[in-house]
C-alpha cells in the first residue's frame, strides 16, 4: 500500500504519490519520538509550521501499490489526537497551521479545533459555487490563514486568464462563471486582478494572510510553482532581486497599514 489522495479539484483520478505510509503502530509504541524531534527541529528554523494534508492525521488515503491512479484507495484511521497530544506535552503549545483542504469531515474539523490550529482559506477557490462558499472573505472566521493561492494553485493572474483544456479541470462555462462572479464580488474590472486579491485577503478578518511573491509581481502561469499530480516542470520559478521595486514595497506597505496588519496594537489613519 502507498499514499496519495482521492479524486478532487486538482485531479479527476486523484493523486498517486507512491511513497510508503507511516508505521503508526511503531510510532505509538515509542511515544511518537520521531515526530516530536521533527517538529522541534522545524520550529528552530521557522516561527510557524504548516502541516500539509492535515486530514491524514485522522484518516489517510491508502492505495494498492500496483495501481497507476489513486481511485481505488480507501480511508485508514490514524492516531492524530494521540500524536498532537504527545507533541504538545513535549514542546508546549504548537504554532501550527492545519492545511485542511480537500475532503474534510467533522472529525477532521474537531481535531483541528480542539488543538486550536488555524485552518486555511484559498481565495481562488471562492468563486466556484455560491455566496455560502467558505473561501469567500465574508464567511471567514478570525482563526484562519487566507491565501490568494498556494504553491499548488496557478498564480492569480494565471487563474484569472485560464482557459479550458490547459491543464484545467474546469469547463469553459465554469471558468467564465467564476470570472464573472469574481469581478462582481471584488467590484473590479480585473485590470490588476492580483492587487484586487491582495487587498481582499488583507482586508479580511483572517488572522494571517499569505501572498505568494508571484502574485505581488503580477506574474502569469509561466511562474506557477507546482502542478499537483505531475512529476516534471515543478518548483523551477526563482525570484531575482531585479524583479523587486519600490512601487511593490510601497503598495504592500500601504495595504498592510490600512488593514491593521503592521503587528502592533495601534491603528492608523486617526482623525483626532
Amino acid at each position: 500500500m502507498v499514499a496519495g489522495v482521492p479524486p478532487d479539484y486538482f485531479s479527476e483520478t486523484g493523486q498517486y504519490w507512491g511513497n510508503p505510509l507511516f508505521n503508526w503502530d511503531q510510532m505509538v509504541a515509542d511515544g511518537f519520538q520521531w515526530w516530536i524531534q521533527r517538529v522541534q527541529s522545524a520550529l528552530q528554523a521557522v516561527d510557524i509550521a504548516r502541516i500539509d494534508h492535515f486530514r491524514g492525521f485522522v484518516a489517510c488515503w491508502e492505495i494498492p501499490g500496483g495501481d497507476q491512479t489513486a481511485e481505488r484507495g480507501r480511508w485508514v484511521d490514524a492516531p492524530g489526537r494521540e500524536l498532537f497530544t504527545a507533541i504538545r506535552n513535549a514542546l508546549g503549545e504548537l504554532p501550527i497551521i492545519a492545511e485542511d483542504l480537500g475532503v474534510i469531515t467533522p472529525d477532521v474539523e474537531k481535531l483541528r479545533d480542539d488543538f486550536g490550529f488555524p485552518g486555511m482559506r484559498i481565495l481562488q477557490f471562492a468563486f466556484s459555487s455560491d455566496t455560502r462558499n467558505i473561501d469567500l472573505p465574508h464567511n471567514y472566521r478570525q482563526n484562519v490563514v487566507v491565501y490568494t493561492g498556494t504553491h499548488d494553485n496557478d498564480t492569480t493572474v494565471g487563474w484569472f486568464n485560464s482557459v479550458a483544456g490547459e491543464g484545467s479541470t474546469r469547463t469553459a462555462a465554469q471558468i467564465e462563471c467564476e470570472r464573472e462572479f469574481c469581478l462582481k464580488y471584488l467590484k473590479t474590472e480585473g485590470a490588476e486582478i492580483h492587487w484586487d486579491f491582495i487587498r481582499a485577503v488583507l482586508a479580511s478578518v483572517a488572522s494571517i494572510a499569505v501572498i505568494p511573491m508571484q502574485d505581488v509581481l503580477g506574474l502569469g502561469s509561466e511562474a506557477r510553482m507546482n502542478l499537483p499530480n505531475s512529476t516534471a516542470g515543478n518548483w523551477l520559478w526563482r525570484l531575482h532581486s531585479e524583479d523587486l521595486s519600490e512601487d511593490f514595497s510601497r503598495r504592500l506597505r500601504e495595504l498592510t497599514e490600512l488593514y491593521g496588519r503592521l503587528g502592533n496594537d495601534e491603528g492608523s489613519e486617526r482623525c483626532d
Side-chain angles (χ1 to χ4, degrees):
M1 296 294 182
V2 296
V5 294
D8 61 10
Y9 174 91
F10 291 110
S11 174
E12 293 179 352
T13 59
Q15 298 179 42
Y16 180 95
W17 298 334
N19 55 292
L21 299 161
F22 291 122
N23 185 338
W24 286 118
D25 290 340
Q26 177 64 35
M27 290 178 166
V28 169
D30 72 1
F32 302 101
Q33 290 305 306
W34 181 84
W35 276 104
I36 291 170
Q37 293 172 27
R38 183 174 186 179
V39 172
Q40 185 177 39
S41 178
L43 294 178
Q44 291 174 354
V46 299
D47 296 311
I48 303 173
R50 188 181 80 187
I51 295 184
D52 276 0
H53 308 287
F54 181 79
R55 76 137 299 110
F57 294 102
V58 172
C60 59
W61 191 247
E62 182 183 88
I63 308 163
D67 285 13
Q68 300 299 312
T69 71
E71 295 169 281
R72 292 201 314 128
R74 66 187 183 105
W75 292 111
V76 177
D77 291 342
R81 186 167 300 278
E82 295 87 344
L83 167 66
F84 291 115
T85 298
I87 299 174
R88 186 174 61 186
N89 288 342
L91 304 179
E93 290 302 317
L94 301 173
I96 283 175
I97 297 168
E99 186 266 288
D100 54 353
L101 308 178
V103 183
I104 302 303
T105 50
D107 51 354
V108 178
E109 294 176 345
K110 181 169 175 53
L111 178 66
R112 177 199 66 201
D113 294 344
D114 284 352
F115 285 88
F117 300 151
M120 289 171 52
R121 299 290 184 268
I122 312 300
L123 190 55
Q124 283 187 28
F125 293 163
F127 309 105
S128 60
S129 56
D130 58 28
T131 56
R132 295 168 293 181
N133 189 315
I134 65 170
D135 290 293
L136 286 167
H138 69 263
N139 292 323
Y140 295 170
R141 50 191 173 89
Q142 188 172 12
N143 193 32
V144 298
V145 179
V146 59
Y147 296 69
T148 53
T150 74
H151 64 284
D152 280 334
N153 293 97
D154 202 343
T155 67
T156 291
V157 171
W159 171 86
F160 185 73
N161 293 325
S162 64
V163 296
E166 294 186 356
S168 174
T169 58
R170 300 177 295 162
T171 67
Q174 288 172 326
I175 290 172
E176 187 57 32
C177 181
E178 287 185 44
R179 192 154 38 221
E180 290 180 3
F181 184 15
C182 169
L183 292 175
K184 183 177 181 180
Y185 187 89
L186 298 178
K187 201 173 183 181
T188 180
E189 294 181 357
E192 287 190 310
I193 193 63
H194 53 298
W195 283 107
D196 296 322
F197 268 51
I198 291 170
R199 177 182 286 272
V201 300
L202 292 177
S204 75
V205 298
S207 59
I208 299 175
V210 178
I211 305 160
M213 186 57 73
Q214 293 97 317
D215 286 351
V216 175
L217 300 178
L219 300 178
S221 297
E222 74 282 355
R224 180 171 186 158
M225 187 63 76
N226 186 64
L227 184 65
N229 204 34
S230 66
T231 57
N234 294 318
W235 298 96
L236 299 180
W237 182 79
R238 296 293 184 269
L239 174 68
H240 301 282
S241 58
E242 59 267 25
D243 296 332
L244 304 174
S245 73
E246 289 296 326
D247 182 57
F248 294 141
S249 178
R250 175 187 57 78
R251 295 181 76 170
L252 275 177
R253 170 75 187 199
E254 287 177 353
L255 290 175
T256 302
E257 185 174 24
L258 179 63
Y259 295 115
R261 293 184 177 272
L262 288 179
N264 56 39
D265 295 329
E266 294 186 9
S268 60
E269 299 296 330
R270 295 190 299 266
C271 298
D272 50 26

